[in-house]
CSV table of all heavy atoms in Angstrom, one decimal:
chain,number,residue,atom,x,y,z
A,137,ARG,N,28.5,14.1,-123.3
A,137,ARG,CA,28.3,15.1,-122.4
A,137,ARG,C,29.6,15.4,-121.6
A,137,ARG,O,30.4,14.3,-121.2
A,137,ARG,CB,27.3,14.6,-121.5
A,137,ARG,CG,26.9,15.6,-120.4
A,137,ARG,CD,25.7,15.2,-119.6
A,137,ARG,NE,25.8,13.8,-119.3
A,137,ARG,CZ,24.6,13.2,-118.7
A,137,ARG,NH1,23.5,13.7,-118.6
A,137,ARG,NH2,24.6,11.8,-118.4
A,138,VAL,N,29.9,16.6,-121.4
A,138,VAL,CA,31.0,16.9,-120.5
A,138,VAL,C,30.5,17.5,-119.1
A,138,VAL,O,29.6,18.4,-119.2
A,138,VAL,CB,31.8,18.2,-121.2
A,138,VAL,CG1,33.0,18.6,-120.2
A,138,VAL,CG2,32.4,17.6,-122.5
A,139,GLU,N,30.8,16.9,-118.1
A,139,GLU,CA,30.5,17.3,-116.7
A,139,GLU,C,31.8,17.8,-115.9
A,139,GLU,O,32.8,17.1,-115.9
A,139,GLU,CB,29.9,16.1,-116.0
A,139,GLU,CG,28.6,15.5,-116.7
A,139,GLU,CD,28.3,14.3,-116.1
A,139,GLU,OE1,29.1,13.3,-115.9
A,139,GLU,OE2,26.9,14.2,-115.8
A,140,ARG,N,31.5,18.9,-115.3
A,140,ARG,CA,32.5,19.4,-114.4
A,140,ARG,C,31.8,19.4,-113.0
A,140,ARG,O,30.9,20.2,-112.6
A,140,ARG,CB,32.9,20.9,-114.7
A,140,ARG,CG,33.6,20.9,-116.0
A,140,ARG,CD,34.0,22.3,-116.3
A,140,ARG,NE,35.0,22.4,-117.6
A,140,ARG,CZ,34.6,22.3,-118.8
A,140,ARG,NH1,33.3,22.2,-119.0
A,140,ARG,NH2,35.4,22.3,-119.7
A,141,ILE,N,32.4,18.7,-112.0
A,141,ILE,CA,31.9,18.5,-110.7
A,141,ILE,C,32.8,19.1,-109.7
A,141,ILE,O,33.9,18.7,-109.7
A,141,ILE,CB,31.6,16.9,-110.4
A,141,ILE,CG1,30.7,16.4,-111.5
A,141,ILE,CG2,31.0,16.9,-109.1
A,141,ILE,CD1,30.6,14.9,-111.5
A,142,ARG,N,32.2,19.8,-108.8
A,142,ARG,CA,33.1,20.4,-107.7
A,142,ARG,C,32.6,20.0,-106.3
A,142,ARG,O,31.4,20.1,-106.0
A,142,ARG,CB,33.1,21.9,-107.7
A,142,ARG,CG,33.9,22.5,-106.7
A,142,ARG,CD,34.0,24.1,-106.8
A,142,ARG,NE,35.3,24.3,-107.7
A,142,ARG,CZ,35.9,25.3,-107.4
A,142,ARG,NH1,35.6,26.2,-106.7
A,142,ARG,NH2,37.0,25.3,-108.3
A,143,HIS,N,33.5,19.3,-105.6
A,143,HIS,CA,33.2,18.9,-104.1
A,143,HIS,C,34.2,19.8,-103.4
A,143,HIS,O,35.3,20.0,-103.6
A,143,HIS,CB,33.6,17.4,-103.9
A,143,HIS,CG,32.7,16.6,-104.6
A,143,HIS,ND1,31.4,16.2,-104.5
A,143,HIS,CD2,33.0,15.9,-106.0
A,143,HIS,CE1,30.9,15.5,-105.3
A,143,HIS,NE2,31.9,15.2,-106.2
A,144,GLU,N,33.5,20.3,-102.2
A,144,GLU,CA,34.4,21.2,-101.4
A,144,GLU,C,33.9,20.9,-99.9
A,144,GLU,O,32.8,20.7,-99.6
A,144,GLU,CB,34.0,22.7,-101.7
A,144,GLU,CG,34.7,23.7,-100.8
A,144,GLU,CD,34.6,25.1,-101.4
A,144,GLU,OE1,34.0,25.3,-102.4
A,144,GLU,OE2,35.1,26.0,-100.6
A,145,ASP,N,35.0,20.8,-99.1
A,145,ASP,CA,34.7,20.7,-97.6
A,145,ASP,C,35.6,21.5,-96.9
A,145,ASP,O,36.2,22.5,-97.4
A,145,ASP,CB,34.8,19.2,-97.1
A,145,ASP,CG,36.2,18.6,-97.2
A,145,ASP,OD1,37.2,19.3,-97.5
A,145,ASP,OD2,36.4,17.3,-96.9
A,146,GLY,N,35.9,21.3,-95.6
A,146,GLY,CA,36.7,22.3,-94.8
A,146,GLY,C,38.2,22.2,-95.1
A,146,GLY,O,39.0,23.1,-94.9
A,147,ARG,N,38.6,21.1,-95.8
A,147,ARG,CA,40.1,20.9,-95.9
A,147,ARG,C,40.6,20.9,-97.4
A,147,ARG,O,41.6,21.3,-97.8
A,147,ARG,CB,40.6,19.6,-95.4
A,147,ARG,CG,40.2,19.6,-93.9
A,147,ARG,CD,40.8,18.4,-93.3
A,147,ARG,NE,40.9,17.1,-93.9
A,147,ARG,CZ,41.1,16.0,-93.5
A,147,ARG,NH1,41.2,15.9,-92.1
A,147,ARG,NH2,41.2,14.9,-94.3
A,148,VAL,N,39.7,20.6,-98.4
A,148,VAL,CA,40.0,20.5,-99.8
A,148,VAL,C,38.9,20.9,-100.7
A,148,VAL,O,37.8,20.9,-100.4
A,148,VAL,CB,40.5,19.0,-100.2
A,148,VAL,CG1,41.8,18.6,-99.4
A,148,VAL,CG2,39.5,18.1,-100.1
A,149,ILE,N,39.4,21.3,-102.0
A,149,ILE,CA,38.5,21.5,-103.1
A,149,ILE,C,38.8,20.5,-104.2
A,149,ILE,O,40.0,20.4,-104.6
A,149,ILE,CB,38.6,23.0,-103.7
A,149,ILE,CG1,38.2,23.9,-102.5
A,149,ILE,CG2,37.6,23.2,-104.9
A,149,ILE,CD1,38.5,25.4,-103.0
A,150,ILE,N,37.9,19.7,-104.7
A,150,ILE,CA,38.1,18.6,-105.6
A,150,ILE,C,37.2,19.1,-106.9
A,150,ILE,O,36.1,19.1,-106.8
A,150,ILE,CB,37.7,17.3,-105.1
A,150,ILE,CG1,38.5,16.9,-103.7
A,150,ILE,CG2,37.9,16.3,-106.2
A,150,ILE,CD1,38.1,15.7,-103.1
A,151,ASP,N,37.9,19.2,-108.0
A,151,ASP,CA,37.4,19.5,-109.2
A,151,ASP,C,37.6,18.2,-110.2
A,151,ASP,O,38.7,17.7,-110.4
A,151,ASP,CB,38.0,20.7,-110.0
A,151,ASP,CG,37.7,21.9,-109.2
A,151,ASP,OD1,36.5,22.2,-109.0
A,151,ASP,OD2,38.5,22.8,-109.1
A,152,GLU,N,36.4,17.6,-110.6
A,152,GLU,CA,36.4,16.5,-111.5
A,152,GLU,C,36.0,16.9,-112.9
A,152,GLU,O,34.9,17.4,-113.0
A,152,GLU,CB,35.6,15.3,-110.9
A,152,GLU,CG,35.6,14.0,-111.6
A,152,GLU,CD,34.8,12.9,-110.9
A,152,GLU,OE1,34.2,13.2,-109.7
A,152,GLU,OE2,34.6,11.9,-111.4
A,153,LEU,N,36.6,16.2,-114.0
A,153,LEU,CA,36.1,16.5,-115.2
A,153,LEU,C,35.7,15.1,-115.9
A,153,LEU,O,36.6,14.2,-115.8
A,153,LEU,CB,37.2,17.1,-116.0
A,153,LEU,CG,37.0,17.2,-117.6
A,153,LEU,CD1,35.7,18.3,-117.8
A,153,LEU,CD2,38.2,17.7,-118.3
A,154,ARG,N,34.5,15.0,-116.3
A,154,ARG,CA,34.0,13.7,-116.9
A,154,ARG,C,33.7,14.1,-118.3
A,154,ARG,O,32.9,14.9,-118.6
A,154,ARG,CB,32.9,13.3,-116.1
A,154,ARG,CG,33.1,12.7,-114.8
A,154,ARG,CD,31.8,12.0,-114.2
A,154,ARG,NE,32.1,11.8,-112.7
A,154,ARG,CZ,31.2,11.2,-112.0
A,154,ARG,NH1,30.0,11.1,-112.4
A,154,ARG,NH2,31.6,10.9,-110.8
A,155,TYR,N,34.0,13.2,-119.1
A,155,TYR,CA,33.6,13.1,-120.6
A,155,TYR,C,33.0,11.8,-120.9
A,155,TYR,O,33.4,10.8,-120.8
A,155,TYR,CB,34.8,13.4,-121.4
A,155,TYR,CG,34.5,13.4,-123.1
A,155,TYR,CD1,33.8,14.6,-123.4
A,155,TYR,CD2,34.9,12.4,-123.9
A,155,TYR,CE1,33.5,14.5,-124.8
A,155,TYR,CE2,34.5,12.4,-125.2
A,155,TYR,CZ,33.8,13.4,-125.7
A,155,TYR,OH,33.6,13.5,-127.0
A,156,ALA,N,31.8,12.0,-121.4
A,156,ALA,CA,30.9,10.6,-121.8
A,156,ALA,C,30.9,9.7,-120.6
A,156,ALA,O,30.9,8.5,-120.7
A,156,ALA,CB,31.4,10.0,-122.9
A,157,GLY,N,30.7,10.3,-119.4
A,157,GLY,CA,30.6,9.5,-118.0
A,157,GLY,C,31.9,8.9,-117.6
A,157,GLY,O,31.9,8.2,-116.5
A,158,GLN,N,33.0,9.2,-118.3
A,158,GLN,CA,34.3,8.6,-117.9
A,158,GLN,C,35.1,9.8,-117.3
A,158,GLN,O,35.3,10.8,-117.8
A,158,GLN,CB,35.1,8.0,-119.0
A,158,GLN,CG,34.3,6.9,-119.6
A,158,GLN,CD,34.4,5.7,-118.8
A,158,GLN,OE1,35.2,5.3,-118.0
A,158,GLN,NE2,33.2,5.0,-118.7
A,159,THR,N,35.7,9.5,-116.1
A,159,THR,CA,36.5,10.5,-115.4
A,159,THR,C,37.8,10.7,-116.3
A,159,THR,O,38.6,9.8,-116.6
A,159,THR,CB,36.9,10.1,-114.0
A,159,THR,OG1,35.7,9.9,-113.2
A,159,THR,CG2,37.7,11.1,-113.4
A,160,GLN,N,38.0,11.9,-116.6
A,160,GLN,CA,39.2,12.3,-117.4
A,160,GLN,C,40.3,13.0,-116.4
A,160,GLN,O,41.5,12.7,-116.6
A,160,GLN,CB,38.8,13.4,-118.4
A,160,GLN,CG,37.9,12.9,-119.5
A,160,GLN,CD,38.4,11.7,-120.3
A,160,GLN,OE1,39.5,11.7,-120.7
A,160,GLN,NE2,37.6,10.6,-120.3
A,161,SER,N,39.9,13.7,-115.5
A,161,SER,CA,40.9,14.3,-114.6
A,161,SER,C,40.2,14.6,-113.2
A,161,SER,O,39.1,15.1,-113.1
A,161,SER,CB,41.6,15.5,-115.2
A,161,SER,OG,40.7,16.6,-115.3
A,162,ILE,N,41.0,14.7,-112.2
A,162,ILE,CA,40.7,15.0,-110.8
A,162,ILE,C,41.7,15.9,-110.3
A,162,ILE,O,42.9,15.5,-110.2
A,162,ILE,CB,40.4,13.7,-109.9
A,162,ILE,CG1,39.4,12.9,-110.6
A,162,ILE,CG2,40.1,14.2,-108.5
A,162,ILE,CD1,39.3,11.6,-109.8
A,163,LYS,N,41.3,17.1,-110.0
A,163,LYS,CA,42.3,18.1,-109.4
A,163,LYS,C,41.9,18.3,-107.9
A,163,LYS,O,40.9,18.7,-107.6
A,163,LYS,CB,42.3,19.3,-110.2
A,163,LYS,CG,42.8,19.2,-111.6
A,163,LYS,CD,42.8,20.4,-112.5
A,163,LYS,CE,43.3,20.1,-113.8
A,163,LYS,NZ,43.0,21.3,-114.7
A,164,VAL,N,43.0,18.2,-107.2
A,164,VAL,CA,42.8,18.5,-105.7
A,164,VAL,C,43.4,19.7,-105.1
A,164,VAL,O,44.8,19.8,-105.4
A,164,VAL,CB,43.2,17.3,-104.8
A,164,VAL,CG1,43.0,17.4,-103.4
A,164,VAL,CG2,42.5,16.0,-105.4
A,165,GLN,N,42.8,20.6,-104.5
A,165,GLN,CA,43.5,21.8,-104.0
A,165,GLN,C,43.3,21.9,-102.6
A,165,GLN,O,42.2,22.2,-102.0
A,165,GLN,CB,42.9,23.2,-104.6
A,165,GLN,CG,43.5,24.5,-104.1
A,165,GLN,CD,44.9,24.7,-104.3
A,165,GLN,OE1,45.3,24.4,-105.5
A,165,GLN,NE2,45.7,24.8,-103.2
A,166,PRO,N,44.3,21.6,-101.8
A,166,PRO,CA,44.2,21.6,-100.2
A,166,PRO,C,44.0,23.1,-99.8
A,166,PRO,O,44.6,24.0,-100.5
A,166,PRO,CB,45.4,21.0,-99.7
A,166,PRO,CG,46.0,20.3,-100.8
A,166,PRO,CD,45.6,20.9,-102.1
A,167,LYS,N,43.2,23.3,-98.8
A,167,LYS,CA,43.0,24.7,-98.2
A,167,LYS,C,44.1,25.1,-97.3
A,167,LYS,O,44.1,26.4,-96.9
A,167,LYS,CB,41.7,24.8,-97.7
A,167,LYS,CG,40.6,24.7,-98.7
A,167,LYS,CD,39.2,24.9,-98.0
A,167,LYS,CE,38.1,24.9,-99.0
A,167,LYS,NZ,36.8,25.1,-98.4
């Protein structure tokens, strides 16, 4: 399973990519 998870708050946007339950990459975009 491939999961793309996005967390967003007032200061940053965090995009996480998981493959088979293991985190492959985390990208952080400050606002």
Side-chain angles (χ1 to χ4, degrees):
R137 183 172 45 192
V138 176
E139 298 173 306
R140 290 179 174 83
I141 304 169
R142 175 173 272 212
H143 298 279
E144 184 173 348
D145 64 8
R147 299 186 332 192
V148 295
I149 299 172
I150 301 170
D151 291 315
E152 181 178 355
L153 175 66
R154 290 183 186 175
Y155 178 74
Q158 300 293 320
T159 300
Q160 298 298 313
S161 69
I162 301 171
K163 295 179 183 172
V164 179
Q165 174 64 53
K167 290 185 177 179

